[in-house]
Amino acid sequence: MAEVNSVRIVEVGARDGLQNEALTLSPETRVQLLTRLADAGLRTLEAGAFVSPRWVPQMAGSDQVLKQLPARAGVNWTALVPNLQGLEAALDAGCREVAVFVAASEAFSQKNTNCSIAESLNRVQAVTARAREAGIQVRGYVSCVLGCPFTGHVQPETVAAIGASLYESGCYEISLGDTIGTGTPASTKALISTCSQQIPLHALAGHFHDTYGMAIANIYAAIEAGVRVFDSSVSGLGGCPYSPGATGNVATEDLIYLLDGLGLKHGVNLESLIETGVFINAALNRKTSSSVARALLTKKVMGV
Ligand code: HMG
Ligand code: MG
């Protein structure tokens, strides 16, 4: 939960970002990325995923990443897990918080996790029960909340019911994932209004992919609706390997610029974040997807 005049950011670049890049980075480079992001002021960072390396090879070695990350006061290194096997591996690697995920579309659930929504919810129950025993926190994602890449429209009521089920299972926060970025401010507002009838507003987070360039507009709509937690990835890295055509998350740099403009506190140093973006783009041989980073780097080159 975040205060009304501040926003909590969940940096997902090292997981959601890197899982969809052509190059697979070494655990050492991923650790460097994560420590630089923490140095820039980010406090909750998804560091990897304990999923099948056959399904997502880019996340292989997440155990080494988690083991190599330095313990830091106030910094929460987390990891994505699809099932009990993933949770046990995360616990072995010293993880103190995990995230589970369930799709609001049957077709996407099958493509992404090879099981139905109902089976996925059963897996979550098993994960939350074991996590409780181990004394660690669980965050929940619902994906395809504003559209499915295979079947199109998704009902807000379906999202709310799945989110409520995750919340009742013990997830402390429900991150609403616009996996394919088709949401608009109007559909975002309607979704939050429906979800907040079943899940407390303070336990809702927004996870917007920027495929249609709507992510910042959707975040603004969500802020107006009272949401104060957002997921983002440095430089707008990311996408989902099982969602054809989906591009990255909203860039953390763009989110910070928006929050600054709105006078909302966030604790992140934009300059260090942009430098971290330069670092990771060089490692991946790609260009930034952040409009703010592009603009400020151009100004720097021109000496203005
Ligand atoms: P499956 O093939 O049905 O699994 O995959 P299975 O239980 O039949 O086991 C088959 C093999 O996988 C076995 O190995 C298991 O040991 C292994 P084998 O005996 O053949 O050598 N296995 C595992 N290995 C490592 N870690 C595990 C694990 N579980 C089983 N945890 C499974 C099912 C769920 C594992 C697979 O479908 C999978 O890993 N899917 C993950 C896909 C993924 O990571 N997608 C991206 C993340 S979700 C996302 O990006 C959306 C989000 O950002 C929100 C949004 O944007 O909306 C969160
Ligand atoms: Mg995502």
Side-chain angles (χ1 to χ4, degrees), residues 161-182:
I162 293 170
S165 169
L166 292 179
Y167 191 66
E168 280 154 24
S169 296
C171 295
Y172 74 92
E173 190 166 273
I174 307 302
S175 177
L176 301 171
D178 183 11
T179 320
I180 55 170
T182 46

PDB file of all heavy atoms in Angstrom, residues 161-182:
ATOM      1  N   ALA A 161     -13.538 -11.309 -10.330  1.00  0.00           N
ATOM      2  CA  ALA A 161     -13.751 -12.592  -9.627  1.00  0.00           C
ATOM      3  C   ALA A 161     -12.421 -13.318  -9.432  1.00  0.00           C
ATOM      4  O   ALA A 161     -12.139 -13.853  -8.343  1.00  0.00           O
ATOM      5  CB  ALA A 161     -14.722 -13.459 -10.425  1.00  0.00           C
ATOM      6  N   ILE A 162     -11.566 -13.307 -10.444  1.00  0.00           N
ATOM      7  CA  ILE A 162     -10.266 -13.989 -10.319  1.00  0.00           C
ATOM      8  C   ILE A 162      -9.376 -13.236  -9.325  1.00  0.00           C
ATOM      9  O   ILE A 162      -8.730 -13.837  -8.465  1.00  0.00           O
ATOM     10  CB  ILE A 162      -9.588 -14.127 -11.706  1.00  0.00           C
ATOM     11  CG1 ILE A 162     -10.408 -15.090 -12.573  1.00  0.00           C
ATOM     12  CG2 ILE A 162      -8.145 -14.621 -11.571  1.00  0.00           C
ATOM     13  CD1 ILE A 162     -10.005 -15.130 -14.019  1.00  0.00           C
ATOM     14  N   GLY A 163      -9.383 -11.912  -9.428  1.00  0.00           N
ATOM     15  CA  GLY A 163      -8.594 -11.097  -8.487  1.00  0.00           C
ATOM     16  C   GLY A 163      -9.050 -11.338  -7.054  1.00  0.00           C
ATOM     17  O   GLY A 163      -8.221 -11.494  -6.148  1.00  0.00           O
ATOM     18  N   ALA A 164     -10.369 -11.402  -6.842  1.00  0.00           N
ATOM     19  CA  ALA A 164     -10.900 -11.616  -5.486  1.00  0.00           C
ATOM     20  C   ALA A 164     -10.475 -12.994  -4.977  1.00  0.00           C
ATOM     21  O   ALA A 164     -10.138 -13.158  -3.798  1.00  0.00           O
ATOM     22  CB  ALA A 164     -12.414 -11.490  -5.496  1.00  0.00           C
ATOM     23  N   SER A 165     -10.463 -13.957  -5.869  1.00  0.00           N
ATOM     24  CA  SER A 165     -10.066 -15.304  -5.471  1.00  0.00           C
ATOM     25  C   SER A 165      -8.579 -15.321  -5.047  1.00  0.00           C
ATOM     26  O   SER A 165      -8.205 -15.944  -4.043  1.00  0.00           O
ATOM     27  CB  SER A 165     -10.352 -16.231  -6.651  1.00  0.00           C
ATOM     28  OG  SER A 165      -9.806 -17.448  -6.452  1.00  0.00           O
ATOM     29  N   LEU A 166      -7.737 -14.588  -5.788  1.00  0.00           N
ATOM     30  CA  LEU A 166      -6.310 -14.490  -5.415  1.00  0.00           C
ATOM     31  C   LEU A 166      -6.164 -13.791  -4.070  1.00  0.00           C
ATOM     32  O   LEU A 166      -5.384 -14.213  -3.206  1.00  0.00           O
ATOM     33  CB  LEU A 166      -5.522 -13.701  -6.477  1.00  0.00           C
ATOM     34  CG  LEU A 166      -5.356 -14.335  -7.857  1.00  0.00           C
ATOM     35  CD1 LEU A 166      -4.567 -13.413  -8.779  1.00  0.00           C
ATOM     36  CD2 LEU A 166      -4.641 -15.661  -7.751  1.00  0.00           C
ATOM     37  N   TYR A 167      -6.944 -12.732  -3.885  1.00  0.00           N
ATOM     38  CA  TYR A 167      -6.873 -11.964  -2.630  1.00  0.00           C
ATOM     39  C   TYR A 167      -7.296 -12.852  -1.455  1.00  0.00           C
ATOM     40  O   TYR A 167      -6.630 -12.885  -0.423  1.00  0.00           O
ATOM     41  CB  TYR A 167      -7.772 -10.727  -2.760  1.00  0.00           C
ATOM     42  CG  TYR A 167      -7.583  -9.725  -1.645  1.00  0.00           C
ATOM     43  CD1 TYR A 167      -6.380  -9.028  -1.506  1.00  0.00           C
ATOM     44  CD2 TYR A 167      -8.611  -9.465  -0.741  1.00  0.00           C
ATOM     45  CE1 TYR A 167      -6.206  -8.105  -0.475  1.00  0.00           C
ATOM     46  CE2 TYR A 167      -8.439  -8.540   0.279  1.00  0.00           C
ATOM     47  CZ  TYR A 167      -7.237  -7.866   0.407  1.00  0.00           C
ATOM     48  OH  TYR A 167      -7.063  -6.955   1.429  1.00  0.00           O
ATOM     49  N   GLU A 168      -8.380 -13.609  -1.655  1.00  0.00           N
ATOM     50  CA  GLU A 168      -8.858 -14.504  -0.580  1.00  0.00           C
ATOM     51  C   GLU A 168      -7.860 -15.622  -0.304  1.00  0.00           C
ATOM     52  O   GLU A 168      -7.744 -16.111   0.819  1.00  0.00           O
ATOM     53  CB  GLU A 168     -10.222 -15.106  -0.953  1.00  0.00           C
ATOM     54  CG  GLU A 168     -11.360 -14.137  -0.688  1.00  0.00           C
ATOM     55  CD  GLU A 168     -12.574 -14.385  -1.583  1.00  0.00           C
ATOM     56  OE1 GLU A 168     -12.733 -15.525  -2.065  1.00  0.00           O
ATOM     57  OE2 GLU A 168     -13.329 -13.414  -1.813  1.00  0.00           O
ATOM     58  N   SER A 169      -7.111 -16.019  -1.337  1.00  0.00           N
ATOM     59  CA  SER A 169      -6.094 -17.068  -1.136  1.00  0.00           C
ATOM     60  C   SER A 169      -4.908 -16.559  -0.313  1.00  0.00           C
ATOM     61  O   SER A 169      -4.056 -17.345   0.084  1.00  0.00           O
ATOM     62  CB  SER A 169      -5.525 -17.553  -2.468  1.00  0.00           C
ATOM     63  OG  SER A 169      -6.498 -18.157  -3.221  1.00  0.00           O
ATOM     64  N   GLY A 170      -4.797 -15.236  -0.149  1.00  0.00           N
ATOM     65  CA  GLY A 170      -3.711 -14.705   0.678  1.00  0.00           C
ATOM     66  C   GLY A 170      -2.754 -13.780  -0.061  1.00  0.00           C
ATOM     67  O   GLY A 170      -1.756 -13.351   0.517  1.00  0.00           O
ATOM     68  N   CYS A 171      -3.029 -13.465  -1.338  1.00  0.00           N
ATOM     69  CA  CYS A 171      -2.166 -12.490  -2.031  1.00  0.00           C
ATOM     70  C   CYS A 171      -2.448 -11.118  -1.412  1.00  0.00           C
ATOM     71  O   CYS A 171      -3.605 -10.719  -1.294  1.00  0.00           O
ATOM     72  CB  CYS A 171      -2.478 -12.452  -3.521  1.00  0.00           C
ATOM     73  SG  CYS A 171      -2.090 -13.987  -4.361  1.00  0.00           S
ATOM     74  N   TYR A 172      -1.366 -10.400  -1.041  1.00  0.00           N
ATOM     75  CA  TYR A 172      -1.589  -9.133  -0.344  1.00  0.00           C
ATOM     76  C   TYR A 172      -1.936  -8.002  -1.303  1.00  0.00           C
ATOM     77  O   TYR A 172      -2.459  -6.957  -0.892  1.00  0.00           O
ATOM     78  CB  TYR A 172      -0.360  -8.755   0.506  1.00  0.00           C
ATOM     79  CG  TYR A 172       0.830  -8.268  -0.305  1.00  0.00           C
ATOM     80  CD1 TYR A 172       1.013  -6.918  -0.573  1.00  0.00           C
ATOM     81  CD2 TYR A 172       1.760  -9.169  -0.824  1.00  0.00           C
ATOM     82  CE1 TYR A 172       2.089  -6.470  -1.322  1.00  0.00           C
ATOM     83  CE2 TYR A 172       2.830  -8.738  -1.577  1.00  0.00           C
ATOM     84  CZ  TYR A 172       2.991  -7.390  -1.825  1.00  0.00           C
ATOM     85  OH  TYR A 172       4.045  -6.964  -2.588  1.00  0.00           O
ATOM     86  N   GLU A 173      -1.621  -8.214  -2.590  1.00  0.00           N
ATOM     87  CA  GLU A 173      -1.871  -7.173  -3.593  1.00  0.00           C
ATOM     88  C   GLU A 173      -2.206  -7.865  -4.910  1.00  0.00           C
ATOM     89  O   GLU A 173      -1.628  -8.914  -5.222  1.00  0.00           O
ATOM     90  CB  GLU A 173      -0.599  -6.336  -3.748  1.00  0.00           C
ATOM     91  CG  GLU A 173      -0.728  -5.081  -4.567  1.00  0.00           C
ATOM     92  CD  GLU A 173       0.507  -4.197  -4.345  1.00  0.00           C
ATOM     93  OE1 GLU A 173       0.514  -3.399  -3.396  1.00  0.00           O
ATOM     94  OE2 GLU A 173       1.468  -4.354  -5.114  1.00  0.00           O
ATOM     95  N   ILE A 174      -3.105  -7.250  -5.672  1.00  0.00           N
ATOM     96  CA  ILE A 174      -3.503  -7.825  -6.959  1.00  0.00           C
ATOM     97  C   ILE A 174      -3.108  -6.841  -8.050  1.00  0.00           C
ATOM     98  O   ILE A 174      -3.627  -5.717  -8.124  1.00  0.00           O
ATOM     99  CB  ILE A 174      -5.041  -8.067  -7.006  1.00  0.00           C
ATOM    100  CG1 ILE A 174      -5.504  -8.895  -5.796  1.00  0.00           C
ATOM    101  CG2 ILE A 174      -5.435  -8.731  -8.328  1.00  0.00           C
ATOM    102  CD1 ILE A 174      -4.837 -10.255  -5.643  1.00  0.00           C
ATOM    103  N   SER A 175      -2.174  -7.280  -8.884  1.00  0.00           N
ATOM    104  CA  SER A 175      -1.711  -6.429  -9.965  1.00  0.00           C
ATOM    105  C   SER A 175      -2.506  -6.761 -11.230  1.00  0.00           C
ATOM    106  O   SER A 175      -2.523  -7.907 -11.682  1.00  0.00           O
ATOM    107  CB  SER A 175      -0.211  -6.657 -10.177  1.00  0.00           C
ATOM    108  OG  SER A 175       0.229  -5.889 -11.268  1.00  0.00           O
ATOM    109  N   LEU A 176      -3.161  -5.737 -11.768  1.00  0.00           N
ATOM    110  CA  LEU A 176      -4.034  -5.938 -12.936  1.00  0.00           C
ATOM    111  C   LEU A 176      -3.205  -5.743 -14.201  1.00  0.00           C
ATOM    112  O   LEU A 176      -2.751  -4.633 -14.491  1.00  0.00           O
ATOM    113  CB  LEU A 176      -5.199  -4.936 -12.883  1.00  0.00           C
ATOM    114  CG  LEU A 176      -6.090  -5.039 -11.625  1.00  0.00           C
ATOM    115  CD1 LEU A 176      -7.076  -3.869 -11.559  1.00  0.00           C
ATOM    116  CD2 LEU A 176      -6.833  -6.379 -11.604  1.00  0.00           C
ATOM    117  N   GLY A 177      -2.998  -6.825 -14.949  1.00  0.00           N
ATOM    118  CA  GLY A 177      -2.087  -6.787 -16.082  1.00  0.00           C
ATOM    119  C   GLY A 177      -2.783  -6.598 -17.420  1.00  0.00           C
ATOM    120  O   GLY A 177      -3.523  -7.469 -17.878  1.00  0.00           O
ATOM    121  N   ASP A 178      -2.511  -5.446 -18.050  1.00  0.00           N
ATOM    122  CA  ASP A 178      -2.982  -5.248 -19.431  1.00  0.00           C
ATOM    123  C   ASP A 178      -1.883  -5.809 -20.330  1.00  0.00           C
ATOM    124  O   ASP A 178      -1.083  -5.074 -20.914  1.00  0.00           O
ATOM    125  CB  ASP A 178      -3.245  -3.765 -19.698  1.00  0.00           C
ATOM    126  CG  ASP A 178      -3.816  -3.536 -21.098  1.00  0.00           C
ATOM    127  OD1 ASP A 178      -4.200  -4.527 -21.760  1.00  0.00           O
ATOM    128  OD2 ASP A 178      -3.871  -2.371 -21.540  1.00  0.00           O
ATOM    129  N   THR A 179      -1.879  -7.110 -20.437  1.00  0.00           N
ATOM    130  CA  THR A 179      -0.807  -7.863 -21.090  1.00  0.00           C
ATOM    131  C   THR A 179      -0.543  -7.403 -22.524  1.00  0.00           C
ATOM    132  O   THR A 179       0.605  -7.370 -22.966  1.00  0.00           O
ATOM    133  CB  THR A 179      -1.198  -9.361 -21.113  1.00  0.00           C
ATOM    134  OG1 THR A 179      -1.815  -9.684 -19.870  1.00  0.00           O
ATOM    135  CG2 THR A 179      -0.017 -10.254 -21.377  1.00  0.00           C
ATOM    136  N   ILE A 180      -1.610  -7.054 -23.251  1.00  0.00           N
ATOM    137  CA  ILE A 180      -1.430  -6.711 -24.666  1.00  0.00           C
ATOM    138  C   ILE A 180      -1.612  -5.217 -24.923  1.00  0.00           C
ATOM    139  O   ILE A 180      -1.596  -4.774 -26.064  1.00  0.00           O
ATOM    140  CB  ILE A 180      -2.371  -7.540 -25.584  1.00  0.00           C
ATOM    141  CG1 ILE A 180      -3.838  -7.390 -25.166  1.00  0.00           C
ATOM    142  CG2 ILE A 180      -1.940  -9.001 -25.565  1.00  0.00           C
ATOM    143  CD1 ILE A 180      -4.808  -7.996 -26.180  1.00  0.00           C
ATOM    144  N   GLY A 181      -1.798  -4.461 -23.858  1.00  0.00           N
ATOM    145  CA  GLY A 181      -1.804  -2.997 -23.988  1.00  0.00           C
ATOM    146  C   GLY A 181      -2.965  -2.412 -24.756  1.00  0.00           C
ATOM    147  O   GLY A 181      -2.863  -1.284 -25.265  1.00  0.00           O
ATOM    148  N   THR A 182      -4.091  -3.117 -24.816  1.00  0.00           N
ATOM    149  CA  THR A 182      -5.229  -2.597 -25.593  1.00  0.00           C
ATOM    150  C   THR A 182      -6.165  -1.712 -24.772  1.00  0.00           C
ATOM    151  O   THR A 182      -7.118  -1.159 -25.313  1.00  0.00           O
ATOM    152  CB  THR A 182      -6.063  -3.760 -26.201  1.00  0.00           C
ATOM    153  OG1 THR A 182      -6.280  -4.734 -25.177  1.00  0.00           O
ATOM    154  CG2 THR A 182      -5.351  -4.396 -27.368  1.00  0.00           C
TER     155      THR A 182
END
